[in-house]
């Protein structure tokens, strides 16, 4: 820690003297988010409001913040994947103030399910990309990106089946569990709406599968197929043509979670049920909700009447006492129950009962007929993503909304203009293997570093040739994605370098740019960071060297005889100048060391003064009262020595109603004191709150 602090101190002392006492400025170059803006919500600013940048071709959504996420800032970032009728599908990491941190630099088609997951002890970005226009699900690939934003793995389904977009979980066993879909021919006799006389007994369904996959080999460790374990009549979705080209999606899987005992919690949207599947046999152990629920609902049906649910998880996969989900409360069939909510239900797996533990509802009763997410954070808060609508909200554990933002006008909710399958929060540290980017526009420089999460400030340096003699010019705190640097009214050389610094002042990366004619400093001209004496010496040296040409012509030829001696003297003078320069460099180094020591000395003096004030300033009032009361007590004791009382326990009368108690009542109590005005018996017996005064009293008495 000392090294980090001294590095920052030395960095601060190395700045031009005019900046030493000035606060380090912020430079907010991004367009600020909207704050509960009615014009934004009306759609007059557009169906998807974005901003562009100087240093990248990428754009980012501008949030309309109803309740700032700075109120929920736990150091994590917001992860969204906007898509729909308006945006080009991509991924974003957004900070608590609504600023972009990172986005994809290429198009993958449609993207879903953006998250941070751990594999072999390391964090990775995971997401699905592919074709989502395949019967309400997807055919594509899952990607894993490392902390430098480089592709680490590309994972598809095993057995020649493409990965579905809905669910991809890296387990504690470092395997992956993923959802898949495949057309499959089955018997449909007895299914409502299926005419066996005209169509025969068989038809095609979108059979739902999930696989546990070895990430390294891509092979399936375990595979489960819904059609092998369910009665098709449990579906809430009517049968369609059920042909190979148009199969019936009777099940619609959207979440699979492997728990601590090796079984799988499975969400079946079109069954309106949650299944618990054996990891050994594939048998369905029980069902929560739907037409064949295994549980008695103790909440008048509220715990099992969810509709179109998404993102179902155990609250604690080891205890298995509660289940959380995003209850859409609506489906494409037109069923609308209560709007979309976060739902947490308790389950007793011995008594097979269930009940509602907590609900999380948006104050605007946002309804999303598809998609959505429910995430329990480490601090107990709950983040809801509203899927079909561009909304992300955070609640406390009791259901009170704390933070809320839109990235779509509220007047366009349910339109499908802007969607994001899940909106989540994660801690993330990005170390891009690229360099920062800098751009010049008019008299401003703009600098950014895509995905670099640890940058806290930018040190700007300038140089005449871009290779050496870099001079520190200014230090600007980073805020937002881009940071601007105003060149106007500034002594600036032709080449400018921006150095990214972390919170400890460490150099993370740099970039430089040729600003051309915008430069105001010319080579040979002293800058504001040099001392006045140096400027004066430079001017005096220039006047001594300047001689008019007529004077040279009038010099006598005899002076040429002394030329050789003059050259020798000049060489000696140059040698002396070189020695002087070396001494100057040494003096400069000594000055830097002196600045550092002086800075530490100043801080030490301030720290000492603070400690002294805290130690003696606060105790003085106690000691003053102690002296006055000692005198008063001595006088009373002399007058009343023969009237000393004894308590019922046989001890001498220094109980809770004696002189010591009176003194305690008059003593000023510490700030925040919540005790009574009298001392307790425990304190009188020498307990935990003995003050210096009491100790001295005890010594005097005995």
């Amino acid at each position: 820690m000392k090294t980090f602090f001294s590095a920052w101190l030395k960095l601060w002392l190395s700045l031009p003297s005019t900046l030493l006492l000035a606060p380090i400025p912020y430079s907010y170059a991004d367009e600020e988010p909207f704050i509960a803006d009615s014009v934004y919500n009306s759609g007059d600013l557009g169906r998807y409001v974005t901003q562009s940048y100087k240093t990248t071709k990428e754009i980012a959504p501008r949030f309309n913040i109803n309740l700032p996420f700075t109120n929920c800032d736990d150091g994590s970032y917001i992860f969204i994947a906007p898509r729909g009728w308006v945006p080009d599908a991509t991924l974003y990491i957004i900070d608590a103030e609504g600023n972009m941190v990172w986005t994809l630099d290429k198009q993958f088609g449609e993207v879903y399910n953006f998250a941070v997951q751990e594999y072999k002890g390391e964090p990775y970005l995971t997401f699905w990309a592919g074709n989502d226009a395949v019967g309400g699900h997807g055919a594509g690939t899952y990607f894993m990106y490392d902390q430098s934003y480089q592709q680490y793995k590309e994972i598809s389904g095993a057995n020649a089946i493409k990965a579905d977009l809905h669910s991809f979980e890296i387990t504690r066993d470092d395997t992956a569990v993923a959802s898949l879909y495949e057309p499959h021919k089955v018997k449909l006799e007895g299914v409502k709406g299926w005419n066996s006389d005209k169509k025969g007994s068989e038809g095609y369904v979108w059979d739902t599968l999930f696989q546990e996959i070895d990430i390294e080999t891509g092979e399936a460790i375990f595979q489960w197929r819904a059609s092998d374990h369910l009665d098709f009549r449990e579906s809430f979705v009517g049968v369609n043509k059920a042909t190979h080209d148009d199969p019936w999606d009777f099940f619609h899987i959207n979440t699979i979670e492997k728990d601590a005992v090796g079984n799988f919690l499975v969400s079946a949207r079109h069954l309106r049920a949650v299944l618990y599947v054996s990891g050994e046999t594939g048998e369905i152990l029980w069902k929560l909700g739907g037409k064949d629920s295994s549980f008695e609902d103790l909440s008048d049906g509220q715990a099992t009447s969810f509709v179109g649910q998404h993102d179902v998880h155990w609250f604690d996969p080891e205890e298995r006492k509660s289940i959380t989900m995003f209850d859409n409360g609506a489906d494409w069939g037109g069923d609308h129950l209560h709007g979309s909510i976060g739902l947490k239900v308790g389950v007793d797996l011995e008594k097979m009962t269930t009940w509602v533990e907590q609900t999380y509802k948006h104050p605007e009763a946002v309804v999303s007929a598809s998609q959505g997410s429910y995430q329990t954070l480490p601090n107990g808060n709950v983040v809801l993503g509203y899927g079909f609508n561009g909304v992300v909200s955070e609640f406390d554990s009791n259901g009170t909304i704390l933070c809320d933002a839109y990235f779509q006008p509220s007047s366009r909710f349910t339109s499908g203009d802007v969607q994001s399958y899940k909106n989540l929060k994660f801690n993330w540290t990005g170390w891009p293997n690229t360099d920062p980017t800098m751009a010049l526009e008019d008299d401003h420089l703009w600098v950014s570093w895509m995905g670099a999460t640890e940058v806290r400030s930018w040190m700007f340096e300038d140089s005449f040739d871009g290779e050496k003699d870099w001079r520190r010019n200014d230090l600007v705190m980073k805020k937002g994605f881009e940071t601007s640097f105003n060149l106007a009214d500034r002594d600036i050389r032709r080449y400018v370098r921006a150095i990214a610094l972390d919170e400890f002042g460490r150099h993370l990366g740099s970039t430089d740019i040729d600003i051309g004619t915008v430069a105001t400093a010319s080579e040979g001209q002293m800058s504001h960071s040099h001392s006045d004496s140096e400027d004066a010496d430079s001017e005096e040296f220039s006047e001594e060297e300047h001689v008019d040409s007529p004077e040279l012509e009038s010099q006598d030829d005899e002076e040429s005889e002394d030329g050789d001696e003059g050259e020798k003297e000049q060489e000696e003078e140059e040698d002396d100048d070189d020695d002087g320069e070396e001494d100057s460099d040494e003096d400069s180094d000594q000055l830097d060391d002196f600045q550092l020591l002086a800075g530490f000395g100043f801080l030490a003096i301030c720290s000492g003064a603070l400690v002294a004030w805290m130690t003696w300033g606060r105790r003085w009032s106690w000691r003053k009262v102690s002296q006055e009361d000692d005198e008063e007590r001595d006088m009373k004791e002399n007058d009343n020595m023969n009237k000393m009382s004894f308590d019922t326990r046989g001890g001498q009368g220094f109980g809770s109603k004696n002189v010591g108690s009176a003194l305690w009542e008059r003593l000023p109590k510490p700030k925040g004191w919540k005790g009574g005005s009298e001392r307790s018996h425990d304190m009188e017996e020498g307990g935990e709150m003995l003050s210096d005064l009491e100790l001295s009293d005890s010594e005097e008495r005995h």
Side-chain angles (χ1 to χ4, degrees):
M1 190 67 181
K2 183 178 180 182
T3 304
F4 299 147
F5 178 76
S6 59
W8 261 116
L9 182 61
K10 192 167 185 178
L11 176 67
W12 181 68
L13 290 171
S14 68
L15 290 173
S17 57
T18 55
L19 299 175
L20 288 180
L21 298 179
I24 300 176
Y26 283 101
S27 182
Y28 198 85
D30 298 5
E31 295 182 77
E32 296 191 23
F34 296 91
I35 306 298
D37 194 289
S38 59
V39 179
Y40 181 106
N41 283 332
S42 70
D44 290 347
L45 301 179
R47 293 157 65 191
Y48 178 55
V49 184
T50 62
Q51 65 173 308
S52 57
Y53 302 94
K54 311 292 184 182
T55 56
T56 178
K57 61 181 178 60
E58 310 300 340
I59 62 171
R62 290 182 68 186
F63 280 13
N64 191 17
I65 298 177
N66 303 306
L67 295 169
F69 270 87
T70 50
N71 295 342
C72 308
D73 189 2
D74 55 1
S76 60
Y77 298 99
I78 302 169
F79 286 64
I80 62 174
R83 38 174 290 280
W85 299 116
V86 181
D88 291 330
T90 191
L91 311 174
Y92 289 104
I93 301 176
I94 305 292
D95 69 18
E97 295 182 340
N99 304 303
M100 179 176 73
V101 175
W102 178 83
T103 186
L104 276 172
D105 58 358
K106 60 181 178 180
Q107 292 295 318
F108 281 92
E110 297 296 319
V111 288
Y112 285 72
N113 225 345
F114 187 31
V116 175
Q117 301 195 63
E118 185 176 303
Y119 178 62
K120 294 185 177 180
E122 297 294 332
Y124 291 90
L125 300 177
T126 63
F127 63 93
W128 178 91
N131 179 10
D132 68 344
V134 187
H137 55 273
T141 306
Y142 273 94
F143 293 88
M144 295 174 64
Y145 275 27
D146 62 23
Q147 289 181 275
S148 62
Y149 304 99
Q150 301 302 298
Q151 182 177 316
Y152 175 72
K153 293 285 185 184
E154 185 175 342
I155 304 167
S156 189
N159 304 326
I161 306 175
K162 288 184 179 265
D164 170 50
L165 61 89
H166 285 94
S167 186
F168 177 82
E169 179 200 62
I170 297 178
T171 71
R172 64 185 67 198
D173 302 320
D174 286 329
T175 59
V177 177
S179 58
L180 306 96
Y181 283 76
E182 183 182 46
H184 190 59
K185 197 171 187 177
V186 298
K187 291 186 178 298
L188 294 176
E189 288 180 325
V191 174
K192 185 178 180 180
W194 180 256
N195 191 332
S196 299
D197 295 335
K198 292 183 178 180
K199 299 180 179 180
S201 62
E202 295 182 332
Y204 282 89
V205 296
W206 275 119
D207 206 0
T208 293
L209 300 86
F210 70 80
Q211 296 175 342
E212 184 172 7
I213 302 169
D214 186 314
I215 292 177
E216 296 301 323
T217 66
E219 296 178 354
I221 301 171
F222 179 84
Q223 177 173 293
W224 185 85
R225 185 181 290 271
S227 63
D228 292 339
H229 302 277
L230 285 158
D231 186 336
F232 299 113
R233 291 173 295 183
E234 292 185 39
S235 180
F236 281 84
V237 176
V239 66
N240 62 352
K241 295 179 181 179
T243 63
H244 186 276
D245 294 333
D246 188 13
W248 177 35
D249 187 6
F250 79 99
F251 190 90
H252 199 90
I253 194 170
N254 57 31
T255 313
I256 312 104
E257 178 184 55
K258 186 178 182 181
D259 64 17
V261 296
N263 296 330
F264 299 91
L265 195 69
V266 179
S267 171
R269 175 184 173 188
H270 288 172
L271 300 187
R272 300 181 183 176
V274 177
L275 315 182
Y276 192 54
V277 175
S278 169
E280 294 181 357
T281 66
E283 175 190 2
I284 298 175
L285 302 176
W286 48 256
K287 302 172 188 173
L288 175 69
K291 295 180 180 180
D292 187 27
S293 181
S294 308
F295 289 82
E296 178 189 357
D297 193 335
L298 304 180
S299 299
D300 296 326
Q302 298 300 309
T304 55
S305 59
F306 42 85
V307 176
Q309 77 283 350
H310 285 78
D311 208 19
V312 178
H313 297 279
W314 287 112
F315 177 75
D316 187 327
E318 295 186 358
E319 292 186 352
R320 294 177 296 140
K321 293 182 178 180
S322 301
I323 294 173
T324 64
M325 69 184 75
F326 183 81
D327 177 10
N328 294 74
D331 219 333
W332 293 123
D335 294 320
H336 294 267
L337 185 62
H338 44 53
S340 300
I341 62 172
L343 177 64
K344 181 182 180 184
V345 299
V347 291
D348 187 326
L349 298 181
E350 293 182 357
K351 297 180 180 179
M352 296 306 291
T353 55
T354 184
W355 59 92
V356 174
E357 288 189 351
Q358 187 63 57
T359 59
Y360 305 86
K361 188 171 184 178
H362 196 280
E364 298 300 322
V366 179
V367 177
S368 293
S370 75
Q371 309 164 71
S373 57
Y374 180 118
Q375 181 189 23
T376 304
L377 299 179
N379 63 7
N381 287 358
V382 172
V383 176
L384 297 185
Y386 287 80
F388 197 63
N389 300 299
V391 181
V392 57
S393 307
E394 185 168 339
F395 301 77
D396 68 15
S397 59
N398 296 319
T400 302
I401 191 167
L402 303 175
C403 306
D404 183 51
Y406 301 162
F407 46 100
Q408 172 191 17
S410 58
S411 62
R412 299 294 300 173
F413 286 172
T414 73
S415 68
D417 285 349
V418 183
Q419 307 169 41
S420 179
Y421 181 62
K422 291 182 179 180
N423 302 324
L424 306 169
K425 285 181 70 176
F426 296 100
N427 290 319
W428 175 251
T429 302
W431 301 100
N433 64 355
T434 59
D435 291 327
T437 305
M438 189 155 51
L440 173 66
E441 184 174 293
D442 299 328
D443 56 357
H444 277 76
L445 285 175
W446 310 79
V447 63
S448 68
W449 199 357
M450 182 71 75
T453 59
E454 304 308 290
V455 179
R456 297 296 180 267
S457 60
W458 292 97
M459 171 64 76
F460 289 92
E461 299 182 338
D462 56 0
S463 169
F464 289 119
D465 58 10
E467 296 180 359
K468 58 183 179 179
D469 297 330
W470 287 100
R471 173 189 62 169
R472 290 171 179 169
N473 195 293
D474 207 346
L475 180 66
V476 179
M477 298 302 292
K478 175 183 178 293
K479 187 177 182 183
F481 176 72
E482 278 186 334
T483 300
S484 67
F485 183 54
N486 189 355
L487 302 177
D489 302 324
R490 187 183 292 274
D491 179 42
I492 196 78
R493 297 171 180 175
R494 177 172 176 175
Y495 296 90
V496 178
R497 177 167 66 184
I499 301 174
L501 305 176
D502 69 5
E503 61 181 318
F504 302 115
R506 293 178 296 199
H507 180 160
L508 301 178
S510 64
T511 185
D512 57 76
I513 191 172
D514 181 354
I515 64 173
T517 58
V518 178
T520 57
S522 57
E523 197 162 4
Q525 175 185 352
M526 294 298 177
S527 70
H528 66 277
S529 63
H530 289 71
S531 65
D532 295 338
S533 62
E534 289 176 328
D535 292 340
D537 291 343
S538 176
E539 293 174 4
E540 182 179 352
F541 180 73
S542 177
E543 291 176 0
E544 289 177 355
E545 280 198 336
H546 180 70
V547 182
D548 294 337
S549 56
E551 292 180 329
L552 289 174
E553 293 177 358
S554 64
Q555 287 180 351
D556 193 80
D557 293 337
E558 294 179 357
E559 293 180 1
S560 63
E561 296 177 359
D562 300 329
D564 294 338
E565 295 180 1
E567 290 177 1
K568 291 180 181 179
E569 292 177 359
Q570 185 174 358
E571 290 175 358
E572 292 175 357
E573 290 177 358
E574 289 177 355
D575 291 340
D576 293 340
D577 291 341
D578 291 339
D579 294 339
E581 290 176 2
E582 293 177 0
D583 293 341
S584 177
D585 291 340
E586 293 177 0
D587 292 342
S588 178
D589 292 338
Q590 293 175 0
L591 182 60
D592 289 341
D593 294 338
F594 174 76
Q595 286 180 317
L596 186 61
L597 291 173
F600 273 120
F602 176 74
L603 291 176
I605 293 172
C606 293
S607 300
L610 180 62
V611 170
W613 176 80
M614 293 177 66
T615 303
W616 297 105
R618 295 192 174 190
R619 293 178 59 183
W620 178 250
S621 59
W622 287 72
R623 293 192 175 278
K624 184 176 180 181
V625 173
S626 174
Q627 292 172 358
E628 294 175 353
D629 284 311
D630 281 347
E631 295 174 0
E632 180 181 352
R633 176 175 51 78
D634 290 341
M635 293 176 65
K636 289 185 177 181
E637 286 181 353
N638 291 334
D639 293 338
N640 302 298
M641 182 64 70
N642 296 327
K643 300 179 181 180
M644 189 75 73
S645 62
F646 291 82
D647 63 19
T648 58
R649 297 184 302 273
Q652 192 174 5
F654 290 99
S656 61
K657 296 296 183 181
N658 60 10
V659 178
S661 178
L663 175 58
W664 175 260
E665 292 175 5
R666 292 195 303 276
L667 282 175
K669 305 301 185 293
K671 185 178 181 181
W673 172 257
K674 296 182 181 180
S677 60
E678 298 178 354
R679 292 188 298 181
S680 68
H681 170 66
D682 291 338
M683 289 180 181
E684 286 295 332
E685 294 291 335
E688 53 202 81
M689 285 283 296
L690 287 176
S691 67
D692 289 344
L693 173 60
E694 292 176 279
L695 288 173
S696 63
D697 287 345
S698 299
E699 291 170 357
E700 288 178 7
R701 293 189 187 105
H702 299 289

